[in-house]
Coordinates of all heavy atoms in Angstrom, one line a residue:
D381 N 77.2 -37.6 -5.6 CA 76.3 -38.7 -5.8 C 75.6 -39.1 -4.5 O 74.4 -39.5 -4.5 CB 77.1 -40.0 -6.3 CG 77.5 -39.8 -7.8 OD1 76.9 -39.0 -8.5 OD2 78.5 -40.6 -8.1
T382 N 76.4 -39.0 -3.3 CA 75.7 -39.3 -2.1 C 74.6 -38.3 -1.8 O 73.4 -38.7 -1.4 CB 76.7 -39.3 -0.9 OG1 77.8 -40.2 -1.3 CG2 76.1 -39.6 0.3
I383 N 74.8 -37.1 -2.0 CA 73.8 -36.0 -1.8 C 72.6 -36.2 -2.7 O 71.5 -36.1 -2.3 CB 74.5 -34.7 -1.8 CG1 75.5 -34.4 -0.7 CG2 73.4 -33.6 -1.8 CD1 76.3 -33.2 -0.8
W384 N 72.9 -36.4 -4.0 CA 71.9 -36.7 -4.9 C 70.9 -37.9 -4.6 O 69.8 -37.9 -4.5 CB 72.4 -36.9 -6.3 CG 71.3 -37.1 -7.4 CD1 70.6 -36.1 -8.0 CD2 70.9 -38.3 -7.8 NE1 69.7 -36.7 -9.0 CE2 69.8 -38.1 -8.8 CE3 71.1 -39.7 -7.6 CZ2 69.1 -39.1 -9.4 CZ3 70.4 -40.7 -8.2 CH2 69.4 -40.4 -9.1
L385 N 71.6 -39.0 -4.2 CA 70.7 -40.2 -3.8 C 70.1 -39.9 -2.5 O 69.0 -40.4 -2.3 CB 71.9 -41.4 -3.6 CG 71.2 -42.7 -3.7 CD1 70.4 -42.9 -4.9 CD2 72.3 -43.7 -3.6
A386 N 70.7 -39.2 -1.5 CA 69.9 -38.9 -0.3 C 68.7 -38.1 -0.7 O 67.5 -38.3 -0.1 CB 70.8 -38.1 0.7
A387 N 68.7 -37.1 -1.5 CA 67.5 -36.4 -2.0 C 66.5 -37.3 -2.7 O 65.2 -37.2 -2.4 CB 67.9 -35.3 -2.9
V388 N 67.0 -38.2 -3.5 CA 66.0 -39.1 -4.1 C 65.4 -40.0 -3.0 O 64.1 -40.2 -3.1 CB 66.8 -40.0 -5.2 CG1 65.9 -41.2 -5.7 CG2 67.2 -39.2 -6.3
I389 N 66.1 -40.5 -2.1 CA 65.5 -41.4 -1.1 C 64.5 -40.6 -0.3 O 63.4 -41.0 0.1 CB 66.7 -41.9 -0.1 CG1 67.6 -42.9 -0.9 CG2 66.1 -42.5 1.2 CD1 68.8 -43.4 -0.3
D390 N 64.8 -39.3 0.2 CA 63.9 -38.5 0.9 C 62.7 -38.3 0.2 O 61.5 -38.3 0.8 CB 64.6 -37.1 1.3 CG 65.4 -37.0 2.6 OD1 65.1 -38.0 3.5 OD2 66.2 -36.1 2.8
C391 N 62.7 -38.0 -1.2 CA 61.5 -37.6 -1.9 C 60.9 -38.7 -2.5 O 59.6 -38.6 -2.8 CB 61.9 -36.5 -2.9 SG 62.7 -35.1 -2.2
E392 N 61.5 -39.8 -3.0 CA 60.9 -40.7 -3.8 C 60.9 -42.1 -3.5 O 60.2 -43.0 -3.9 CB 61.7 -40.8 -5.2 CG 61.6 -39.4 -6.0 CD 60.3 -39.1 -6.6 OE1 59.4 -40.1 -6.9 OE2 59.9 -38.0 -6.8
C393 N 61.6 -42.4 -2.3 CA 61.8 -43.9 -1.9 C 61.1 -44.2 -0.6 O 60.7 -43.3 0.2 CB 63.3 -44.1 -1.7 SG 64.2 -44.1 -3.2
S394 N 60.9 -45.5 -0.5 CA 60.3 -46.0 0.7 C 61.4 -46.9 1.5 O 62.0 -47.7 0.7 CB 59.1 -47.0 0.4 OG 58.7 -47.6 1.5
L395 N 61.6 -46.7 2.7 CA 62.6 -47.5 3.5 C 61.7 -48.4 4.4 O 61.0 -47.8 5.2 CB 63.5 -46.6 4.3 CG 64.5 -45.9 3.6 CD1 65.2 -44.9 4.4 CD2 65.5 -46.8 2.9
S396 N 61.8 -49.7 4.3 CA 60.9 -50.6 5.0 C 61.5 -51.8 5.7 O 62.5 -52.2 5.2 CB 59.7 -50.9 4.1 OG 60.2 -51.6 3.0
L397 N 60.8 -52.0 6.7 CA 61.1 -53.4 7.5 C 59.8 -54.2 7.3 O 58.8 -53.6 7.7 CB 61.5 -53.2 8.8 CG 61.7 -54.2 9.8 CD1 62.9 -55.2 9.3 CD2 61.9 -53.9 11.3
F398 N 59.8 -55.4 6.9 CA 58.6 -56.2 6.8 C 59.0 -57.6 7.1 O 60.0 -58.0 7.2 CB 58.1 -56.0 5.3 CG 59.0 -56.5 4.3 CD1 58.9 -57.7 3.8 CD2 60.0 -55.7 3.7 CE1 59.8 -58.2 2.8 CE2 60.8 -56.1 2.8 CZ 60.8 -57.4 2.2
R399 N 57.8 -58.3 7.4 CA 57.9 -59.7 7.8 C 57.0 -60.5 6.9 O 56.1 -60.2 6.3 CB 57.3 -59.8 9.2 CG 57.6 -61.0 9.9 CD 57.1 -61.0 11.3 NE 55.7 -61.0 11.3 CZ 54.9 -61.5 12.3 NH1 55.5 -61.8 13.5 NH2 53.6 -61.6 12.2
H400 N 57.6 -61.6 6.5 CA 57.0 -62.6 5.5 C 57.3 -64.0 5.9 O 58.2 -64.2 6.6 CB 57.3 -62.2 4.1 CG 58.8 -62.5 3.8 ND1 59.3 -63.6 3.2 CD2 59.8 -61.7 4.0 CE1 60.6 -63.6 3.1 NE2 60.9 -62.3 3.5
K401 N 56.6 -64.9 5.4 CA 56.9 -66.2 5.6 C 58.0 -66.8 4.7 O 58.1 -66.3 3.5 CB 55.6 -67.2 5.2 CG 54.5 -67.1 6.1 CD 54.6 -68.0 7.2 CE 53.3 -68.1 8.1 NZ 53.5 -69.1 9.0
N402 N 58.9 -67.6 5.1 CA 60.0 -68.1 4.3 C 59.5 -68.9 3.1 O 58.3 -69.2 3.0 CB 61.1 -68.9 5.1 CG 60.5 -70.2 5.6 OD1 59.4 -70.6 5.4 ND2 61.4 -70.9 6.5
S403 N 60.4 -69.3 2.3 CA 60.0 -70.0 1.0 C 59.2 -71.3 1.3 O 58.5 -71.7 0.5 CB 61.2 -70.2 0.2 OG 62.2 -71.2 0.9
R404 N 59.5 -71.9 2.4 CA 58.8 -73.1 2.7 C 57.4 -72.8 3.5 O 56.6 -73.7 3.8 CB 59.6 -74.1 3.7 CG 60.8 -74.6 2.8 CD 61.7 -75.4 3.8 NE 62.8 -75.7 3.0 CZ 63.9 -76.2 3.7 NH1 63.9 -76.7 4.8 NH2 65.0 -76.6 2.9
G405 N 57.1 -71.6 3.8 CA 55.9 -71.1 4.4 C 55.9 -71.6 5.9 O 54.8 -71.6 6.6
R406 N 57.1 -71.9 6.5 CA 57.0 -72.5 7.9 C 57.4 -71.4 9.0 O 56.9 -71.4 10.1 CB 58.0 -73.6 8.1 CG 57.7 -74.7 7.3 CD 58.6 -75.9 7.5 NE 58.4 -77.1 6.6 CZ 59.1 -78.0 6.4 NH1 60.3 -77.9 7.1 NH2 58.7 -79.0 5.6
R407 N 58.3 -70.4 8.6 CA 58.8 -69.5 9.6 C 58.6 -68.0 9.1 O 58.8 -67.9 7.8 CB 60.2 -69.8 9.9 CG 60.6 -71.0 10.7 CD 62.0 -71.2 10.7 NE 62.6 -70.1 11.4 CZ 63.8 -70.0 11.9 NH1 64.6 -71.0 11.9 NH2 64.3 -68.9 12.4
W408 N 58.4 -67.2 9.9 CA 58.4 -65.8 9.6 C 59.8 -65.2 9.5 O 60.6 -65.6 10.4 CB 57.6 -64.9 10.7 CG 56.2 -65.1 10.6 CD1 55.4 -65.9 11.5 CD2 55.3 -64.5 9.7 NE1 54.1 -65.8 11.1 CE2 54.0 -65.0 10.1 CE3 55.4 -63.6 8.7 CZ2 52.9 -64.5 9.4 CZ3 54.3 -63.2 8.0 CH2 53.0 -63.6 8.3
Q409 N 60.0 -64.5 8.5 CA 61.4 -63.8 8.3 C 61.1 -62.4 8.2 O 60.2 -61.8 7.7 CB 62.0 -64.4 7.0 CG 62.6 -65.7 7.1 CD 63.1 -66.1 5.7 OE1 62.6 -66.9 5.0 NE2 64.2 -65.4 5.4
W410 N 62.2 -61.6 8.7 CA 62.1 -60.2 8.6 C 63.1 -59.8 7.5 O 64.1 -60.4 7.3 CB 62.8 -59.5 9.9 CG 61.8 -59.6 11.0 CD1 61.7 -60.5 12.0 CD2 60.7 -58.7 11.4 NE1 60.8 -60.2 12.9 CE2 60.0 -59.1 12.5 CE3 60.2 -57.6 10.7 CZ2 59.0 -58.5 13.2 CZ3 59.1 -56.8 11.3 CH2 58.6 -57.3 12.4
N411 N 62.8 -58.7 6.7 CA 63.6 -58.2 5.6 C 63.5 -56.7 5.7 O 62.5 -56.2 6.1 CB 63.2 -58.8 4.3 CG 63.9 -60.2 4.1 OD1 64.9 -60.4 4.2 ND2 63.0 -61.1 3.6
T412 N 64.5 -56.1 5.1 CA 64.5 -54.7 4.8 C 64.5 -54.3 3.3 O 65.0 -55.1 2.5 CB 65.6 -54.0 5.5 OG1 66.8 -54.4 5.0 CG2 65.6 -54.2 7.0
R413 N 64.1 -53.2 2.9 CA 64.0 -52.9 1.5 C 64.0 -51.4 1.4 O 63.3 -50.8 2.0 CB 63.0 -53.6 0.7 CG 63.0 -53.3 -0.7 CD 61.8 -53.9 -1.4 NE 61.9 -55.4 -1.3 CZ 61.0 -56.3 -1.1 NH1 59.7 -55.8 -1.1 NH2 61.2 -57.6 -1.1
L414 N 64.8 -50.9 0.3 CA 64.6 -49.6 -0.3 C 63.9 -49.7 -1.6 O 64.3 -50.6 -2.3 CB 65.9 -48.8 -0.4 CG 65.8 -47.7 -1.2 CD1 67.0 -46.7 -0.6 CD2 66.0 -47.7 -2.7
S415 N 62.6 -49.2 -1.7 CA 61.9 -49.3 -2.9 C 61.7 -47.9 -3.6 O 61.6 -46.9 -2.9 CB 60.5 -49.8 -2.6 OG 60.5 -51.0 -1.8
L416 N 61.7 -47.9 -4.9 CA 61.6 -46.8 -5.7 C 60.8 -47.1 -6.8 O 61.1 -48.1 -7.7 CB 63.0 -46.2 -6.1 CG 63.0 -45.2 -7.2 CD1 62.4 -43.8 -6.7 CD2 64.5 -44.8 -7.7
S417 N 59.6 -46.3 -7.1 CA 58.9 -46.5 -8.3 C 58.8 -45.1 -9.0 O 58.6 -44.1 -8.3 CB 57.5 -47.0 -8.0 OG 56.8 -46.3 -7.1
N418 N 59.0 -45.0 -10.3 CA 59.0 -43.8 -11.0 C 58.7 -44.0 -12.4 O 58.9 -45.1 -12.9 CB 60.3 -43.2 -10.8 CG 60.3 -41.7 -10.9 OD1 60.3 -41.2 -12.1 ND2 60.4 -40.9 -9.9
L419 N 58.1 -43.0 -13.0 CA 57.8 -42.9 -14.5 C 59.2 -42.7 -15.2 O 59.2 -43.0 -16.5 CB 56.9 -42.0 -14.9 CG 55.5 -42.2 -14.1 CD1 54.6 -41.0 -14.5 CD2 54.8 -43.6 -14.7
S420 N 60.3 -42.3 -14.6 CA 61.5 -42.0 -15.4 C 62.5 -43.1 -15.3 O 63.0 -43.4 -14.3 CB 62.1 -40.7 -14.7 OG 63.5 -40.5 -15.2
L421 N 62.7 -43.7 -16.5 CA 63.7 -44.7 -16.6 C 65.1 -44.2 -16.3 O 65.9 -44.8 -15.7 CB 63.7 -45.4 -17.9 CG 64.6 -46.5 -18.1 CD1 64.5 -47.5 -17.1 CD2 64.4 -47.1 -19.6
A422 N 65.3 -42.9 -16.7 CA 66.6 -42.3 -16.4 C 66.9 -42.2 -15.0 O 68.0 -42.4 -14.6 CB 66.6 -40.7 -17.1
M423 N 65.9 -41.8 -14.1 CA 66.1 -41.9 -12.7 C 66.5 -43.2 -12.2 O 67.5 -43.4 -11.5 CB 65.0 -41.2 -12.0 CG 65.2 -41.2 -10.5 SD 63.9 -40.7 -9.4 CE 64.2 -39.0 -9.5
I424 N 65.7 -44.2 -12.6 CA 65.9 -45.7 -12.1 C 67.3 -46.1 -12.6 O 68.0 -46.6 -11.8 CB 64.8 -46.5 -12.6 CG1 63.5 -46.0 -12.1 CG2 65.2 -48.0 -12.4 CD1 63.2 -46.3 -10.7

Side-chain angles (χ1 to χ4, degrees):
D381 289 339
T382 304
I383 293 168
W384 180 84
L385 199 51
V388 169
I389 291 169
D390 267 343
C391 298
E392 298 288 336
C393 291
S394 168
L395 293 171
S396 57
L397 172 68
F398 59 95
R399 197 172 71 156
H400 64 94
K401 290 275 188 171
N402 68 4
S403 58
R404 295 180 189 172
R406 294 183 185 167
R407 295 177 50 168
W408 286 101
Q409 288 181 244
W410 289 95
N411 278 313
T412 59
R413 180 178 299 141
L414 175 144
S415 302
L416 168 63
S417 59
N418 204 281
L419 296 174
S420 170
L421 179 56
M423 176 184 278
I424 299 290

